[in-house]
Amino acid sequence: MEIPVIDLKGLAGGDDDRELTMAKLHEACKDWGFFWVDNHGVEAALMEEVKSFVYRHYEDHLENKFYASDLAKNLHLNTDDDDDVLVDGGDGALADKADWEATYFIQHRPKNNAADFPDIPPAARESLDAYIAQAVSLAELLAGCISLNLGLGDANRVRDAFAPPFVGTKFAMYPACPRPDLVWGLRAHTDAGGIILLLQDDAVGGLEFHRGGREWVPVGPTKDGRLFVNIGDQVEVLSGGAYKSVVHRVAAGTEGRRLSVATFYNPGPDAVIAPATTASAAAAPYPGPYRYGDYLDYYQGTKFGDKAARFQAVKKLFS
């Protein structure tokens, strides 16, 4: 099953090219909730600089700590005949409570907290800043297309709903795992926010999306400088369900290590989110209006739970 690839060059072409590109983007958001983008405006050299930084930073500062963690040590203790070693205080499997990933999060907008990471050298921070500037431009371009494709009349509708946006990046490495049958790299979930741009490994796979309640679709390694895009819960709410956030997960693997740089273009915490049209506002089960910060607080404890139940709870608590 081929994941859609949207060539954004068509948006700058003639009317026919633009119309065709917008139609392909609409179908990808409606029928898939995730897609690849070509000609996205993020420089290939910057993408490589960011990936090189993440590899170096992991090797220099994270790898030893990760393998010294309780999760890694307990997993190494397991044998095929002793699967009950991997427990957390005797009250449940760590595989249900932890993810096989080494990760950290940097906020870029409205404030930049990269200075809180003294082990990131100035040159790497400059590359990250340049990459994020281009990634935000891409996210805003997609937000404008989504607004128009949803018939909201104004290309700035989604962007205005998110204002001032929160932009942050989760840097993750999924190391080789001795027992991938016992733990996930990242458990199944939907993303809380808006538009997610993923710069990922070009050699090691593992990311999987659940399409249409039917099957898990593997997202292979990156090819030809593409970026991967998926939509989050807030776009589903704004669209009244026309576009849906999709459950995804990362499988742990025995070979190699997988790099993931996920940049989140989300509403600010005080942004008020609601279905954007009268028709969608009346459609259950979508909540709104609510503060995104309230939604995010509730999401933290329900990230790996049922999305529909989360929407219903937010509707009851905050709408």
Side-chain angles (χ1 to χ4, degrees):
M1 185 178 296
E2 293 292 330
I3 297 171
V5 178
I6 312 299
D7 188 345
L8 297 179
K9 180 175 61 177
L11 295 176
D15 290 345
D16 290 345
D17 289 340
R18 179 175 175 80
E19 182 177 346
L20 179 61
T21 303
M22 292 287 284
K24 287 182 176 179
L25 178 60
H26 175 64
E27 291 302 313
C29 291
K30 181 171 66 73
D31 295 339
W32 290 76
F34 54 98
F35 48 92
W36 293 101
V37 286
D38 275 336
N39 292 302
H40 41 65
V42 181
E43 295 173 11
L46 273 179
M47 294 166 63
E48 291 304 314
E49 287 178 19
V50 170
K51 288 194 290 185
S52 295
F53 153 71
V54 176
Y55 282 125
R56 290 195 307 270
H57 187 265
Y58 170 74
E59 292 165 357
D60 293 343
H61 302 284
L62 300 178
E63 187 171 20
N64 290 339
K65 292 180 182 178
F66 178 81
Y67 281 111
S69 68
D70 289 341
L71 174 62
K73 288 189 292 187
N74 286 339
L75 205 61
H76 275 289
L77 288 174
N78 271 47
T79 66
D80 290 339
D81 299 323
D82 191 20
D83 287 349
D84 60 350
V85 172
L86 189 66
V87 295
D88 181 15
D91 63 354
L94 269 176
D96 295 330
K97 300 181 179 180
D99 303 303
W100 187 261
E101 61 175 4
T103 183
Y104 52 100
F105 191 92
I106 294 179
Q107 177 180 334
H108 311 292
R109 299 185 181 179
K111 295 181 180 179
N112 190 323
N113 71 347
D116 295 341
F117 297 81
D119 50 1
I120 300 178
R125 290 185 206 170
E126 291 179 9
S127 295
L128 287 175
D129 287 346
Y131 172 81
I132 292 303
Q134 295 182 13
V136 169
S137 294
L138 171 59
E140 291 175 342
L141 173 65
L142 293 171
C145 293
I146 287 171
S147 297
L148 294 174
N149 274 337
L150 288 173
L152 303 183
D154 182 356
N156 292 323
R157 187 69 178 274
V158 171
R159 183 176 174 179
D160 289 347
F162 284 14
F166 174 95
V167 179
T169 298
K170 177 185 176 181
F171 299 85
M173 193 72 73
Y174 298 90
C177 180
R179 291 298 305 273
D181 56 316
L182 296 182
V183 67
W184 287 102
L186 179 60
R187 290 161 287 168
H189 65 287
T190 63
D191 290 325
I195 297 172
I196 299 88
L197 307 176
L198 178 63
L199 171 64
Q200 67 156 12
D201 207 284
D202 57 6
V204 180
L207 179 62
E208 301 173 343
F209 273 71
H210 197 247
R211 186 184 177 219
R214 297 191 297 271
E215 60 186 311
W216 287 101
V217 178
V219 179
T222 298
K223 296 180 180 178
D224 304 321
R226 291 171 177 165
L227 286 171
F228 186 80
V229 180
N230 70 280
I231 60 177
D233 292 352
Q234 305 316 302
V235 171
E236 177 167 345
V237 171
L238 282 167
S239 73
Y243 296 167
K244 289 183 170 59
S245 60
V246 181
V247 175
H248 52 285
R249 66 191 183 189
V250 177
T254 57
E255 302 296 329
R257 56 189 182 180
R258 176 179 175 270
L259 171 148
S260 170
V261 180
T263 297
F264 297 84
Y265 179 80
N266 289 349
D270 291 325
V272 176
I273 304 297
T277 67
T278 302
S280 59
Y286 295 106
Y290 57 81
R291 284 180 67 255
Y292 177 63
D294 292 331
Y295 183 95
L296 193 58
D297 287 343
Y298 188 80
Y299 171 89
Q300 300 300 334
T302 62
K303 175 177 179 177
F304 301 109
D306 180 68
K307 176 181 65 175
R310 181 163 64 244
F311 282 157
Q312 287 292 340
V314 170
K315 190 171 187 176
K316 181 180 294 186
L317 290 170
F318 304 120
S319 296

